[in-house]
Amino acid sequence: TVGPDYSMLMNNSSLLEQKHVFTCFENRSGRELEDTNEEEDGTDTYENESSGDGHKWTVGVVIRVFRRPRSPVLGARDRVSHTQRMYDEEPLMLVTGPRQGEMSEMVRLELLRDRDAKLVLLGAGSAINFILDGLQWCTVNKPARKKISLVYTTRDFDLFQWAMSAISNIVPVCEARGIFFDVKMAYTGSMTEDSSHNIESTMHSNDADYSMHGSMHGTMHGSMHESTYLTSSSEHGMNASTHSTRSIKSRSKSVSTQPNRFDYGEIEAKSTVFCQGGAGLKNAVETVCKKAGARFYGGRGGAREDLS
């Protein structure tokens, strides 16, 4: 299956708090999460497996952290979102899974269909999870689909850089097996970095930021207190007024990047498009699919889930 679901619930949650379901990605390739093997000349080297000193992981998930006050309040401990409590506290959690996600088997079956029509996996923000798992799946399976496009967009710079590194670390493994993708990534945030502000304050636009949880030992079941967090939070503010231009250039020739929104030209007639992200993105992509004569599948996400 592609993009399995795992449920998480903090141990000290109120009785009314329900488990929260997240689409995750699994370590099928045995590699580290990020591409850290950059040579001095700027080129990359790739190892077949994680190095002995690397970060060992089995399942990972990028989680969007919502910082709006909860309404209605479920209990004294739950005045803010469950994701904010996961981010702010050192959480002990009940984690259950994996389970088949709402698009999991459909994505897998489309990868195995021998068709000339393009398959597009499109995601925004924390929807990097199902794109990464699709890549991980291809490191140990052979898709029959001839044309596969991976399209990702985010306005969060740190998340973009991490996602680009994670994707660039897996794509060469697939290419070595004769599996090729059209990988496009768009960064839609500000290209100017102002270090005169505390970096953390820039992360809380739209009351949300992102963190990444990765299990280090065995499975994700049990305590998550040894997780890695990938966020743009800063431990201290920077008062010097300096401006610099952010670089989004990929070090991998297989990954193309751009500093603006997609026009979704990769959605062709008879394409099959799986989209995960906010309600606005899914509505826009569905409209494009209808005009192009493509099949559209929208995953979990949108306004209702923004409250969780």
Side-chain angles (χ1 to χ4, degrees):
T1 189
V2 175
D5 281 350
Y6 283 78
S7 297
M8 303 183 192
L9 180 66
M10 292 180 64
N11 288 357
N12 60 352
S13 296
S14 67
L15 293 175
L16 296 178
E17 187 75 65
Q18 297 182 349
K19 294 178 182 178
H20 294 257
V21 180
F22 298 96
T23 299
C24 301
F25 54 94
E26 298 179 337
N27 189 7
R28 308 166 196 262
S29 63
R31 296 174 65 85
E32 296 180 20
L33 275 171
E34 300 176 74
D35 165 29
T36 56
N37 299 314
E38 183 179 9
E39 300 289 356
E40 291 182 359
D41 62 358
T43 60
D44 297 327
T45 60
Y46 297 94
E47 304 295 336
N48 290 328
E49 295 182 355
S50 299
S51 62
D53 298 329
H55 178 77
K56 303 298 182 182
W57 66 285
T58 54
V59 180
V61 58
V62 176
I63 297 174
R64 186 178 183 184
V65 180
F66 291 92
R67 295 183 175 274
R68 292 190 291 267
R70 230 173 187 179
S71 179
V73 176
L74 296 181
R77 289 188 294 255
D78 301 298
R79 298 184 182 278
V80 296
S81 72
H82 192 261
T83 54
Q84 182 175 340
R85 292 191 61 220
M86 290 166 59
Y87 178 92
D88 291 339
E89 301 175 22
E90 195 73 13
L92 292 176
M93 286 192 288
L94 171 66
V95 182
T96 57
R99 289 189 300 275
Q100 185 173 300
E102 82 273 38
M103 295 197 313
S104 298
E105 274 303 280
M106 288 191 291
V107 173
R108 186 184 71 86
L109 292 174
E110 287 296 331
L111 285 166
L112 292 172
R113 290 186 69 182
D114 187 6
R115 298 186 63 202
D116 290 328
K118 183 182 291 186
L119 173 63
V120 182
L121 304 186
L122 193 155
S126 59
I128 186 64
N129 295 317
F130 96 111
I131 292 177
L132 285 177
D133 201 62
L135 279 170
Q136 288 280 353
W137 185 89
C138 290
T139 64
V140 292
N141 296 279
K142 188 77 172 180
R145 203 62 169 252
K146 296 178 176 63
K147 294 190 290 184
I148 305 172
S149 288
L150 307 178
V151 183
Y152 178 71
T153 178
T154 181
R155 63 176 176 268
D156 184 281
F157 183 68
D158 286 336
L159 178 59
F160 179 86
Q161 292 282 35
W162 181 85
M164 180 167 58
S165 180
I167 289 174
S168 299
N169 192 33
I170 308 174
V171 167
V173 182
C174 299
E175 291 179 340
R177 303 181 70 238
I179 306 167
F180 297 91
F181 309 93
D182 178 23
V183 184
K184 296 181 179 179
M185 300 184 66
Y187 170 63
T188 59
S190 172
M191 291 297 293
T192 302
E193 184 172 16
D194 183 3
S195 59
S196 63
H197 297 87
N198 186 318
I199 299 176
E200 185 174 8
S201 66
T202 68
M203 277 299 294
H204 296 163
S205 59
N206 296 324
D207 305 304
D209 55 18
Y210 294 90
S211 67
M212 199 290 297
H213 293 262
S215 66
M216 296 179 65
H217 308 289
T219 68
M220 288 184 67
H221 295 269
S223 170
M224 292 287 290
H225 69 279
E226 292 187 288
S227 299
T228 297
Y229 294 87
L230 298 181
T231 70
S232 26
S233 299
S234 172
E235 293 184 2
H236 56 275
M238 301 174 67
N239 296 321
S241 180
T242 11
H243 297 269
S244 59
T245 301
R246 289 168 164 162
S247 172
I248 61 170
K249 183 178 179 181
S250 171
R251 289 188 280 109
S252 171
K253 296 179 181 178
S254 303
V255 180
S256 64
T257 61
Q258 62 186 61
N260 44 51
R261 297 179 185 274
F262 292 114
D263 60 8
Y264 304 117
E266 46 281 313
I267 299 177
E268 305 168 350
K270 299 183 180 180
S271 296
T272 300
V273 180
F274 291 92
C275 179
Q276 293 229 25
L281 172 71
K282 288 189 293 186
N283 290 339
V285 173
E286 185 176 14
T287 299
V288 173
C289 289
K290 287 179 179 178
K291 291 181 179 178
R295 290 191 298 164
F296 171 82
Y297 297 95
R300 183 186 303 112
R304 194 175 74 85
E305 284 78 5
D306 285 359
L307 300 177
S308 61

